[in-house]
C-alpha cells in the first residue's frame, strides 16, 4: 500500500485505492511524488557461495525495470549509464545520480532485508 501511495506512476489509481479511506481524504503533499524502487530479498536464496553474483543479478534486473518504468521521467541515456556500472552497489549509486540529475526523488523499499 505504501508503494501505491507514493509511486508517481500510480497517481491515476489514487482515488480508487485510497479515496474512501482517511488517508485518501487527507493526503500528504508527498502522495504520488516518488520514483519507487522496490527490492524484495526473499526472492532469491541459497548458501553464501555465489551470494554476490545472485545479489548483483537480482538487483540488475530490478534496476533495469526501474529505469524502464520511469523512462519518461529520466534522461534518455539512463539505461546506458546504469549498465556501465558493475555490481549492485555501484548500480544503485548510478540510479541515485541519474534521478538527482533529472530532479526526481526516489523512495526505496527493501522487503525481507533480514532474509539473510
Amino acid at each position: 500500500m505504501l508503494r501505491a501511495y507514493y509511486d508517481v506512476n500510480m497517481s491515476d489509481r489514487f482515488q480508487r485505492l485510497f479515496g474512501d479511506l482517511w488517508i485518501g481524504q487527507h493526503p500528504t503533499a508527498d502522495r504520488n511524488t516518488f520514483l519507487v524502487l522496490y527490492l524484495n530479498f526473499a526472492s532469491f536464496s541459497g548458501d553464501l557461495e555465489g551470494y554476490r553474483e545472485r545479489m548483483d543479478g537480482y538487483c540488475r534486473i530490478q534496476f533495469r525495470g526501474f529505469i524502464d518504468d520511469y523512462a519518461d521521467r529520466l534522461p534518455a541515456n539512463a539505461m546506458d549509464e546504469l549498465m556501465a556500472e558493475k555490481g549492485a552497489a555501484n548500480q544503485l549509486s548510478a540510479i541515485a545520480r541519474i534521478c538527482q540529475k533529472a530532479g526526481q526523488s526516489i523512495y526505496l523499499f527493501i522487503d525481507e532485508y533480514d532474509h539473510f
Side-chain angles (χ1 to χ4, degrees), residues 14-104:
F14 185 85
Q15 192 59 35
R16 182 172 51 89
L17 295 171
F18 300 104
D20 294 334
L21 304 174
W22 188 91
I23 192 67
Q25 296 168 13
H26 304 89
T28 67
D30 287 336
R31 99 167 200 211
N32 300 122
T33 60
F34 292 92
L35 310 188
V36 174
L37 176 56
Y38 178 76
L39 302 174
N40 183 352
F41 293 133
S43 63
F44 67 94
S45 61
D47 57 18
L48 288 177
E49 186 175 331
Y51 159 80
R52 182 172 202 124
E53 291 81 17
R54 288 191 309 277
M55 172 70 88
D56 286 348
Y58 169 77
C59 288
R60 183 174 43 254
I61 291 166
Q62 296 306 111
F63 296 161
R64 287 180 70 132
F66 176 87
I67 298 293
D68 284 342
D69 289 347
Y70 300 106
D72 61 330
R73 299 174 187 278
L74 299 173
N77 70 336
M79 188 66 77
D80 294 334
E81 192 173 335
L82 172 70
M83 298 315 294
E85 299 293 339
K86 302 297 180 217
N90 291 340
Q91 288 182 336
L92 183 58
S93 292
I95 285 176
R97 283 191 315 271
I98 292 164
C99 290
Q100 184 176 30
K101 283 191 273 185
Q104 300 291 332

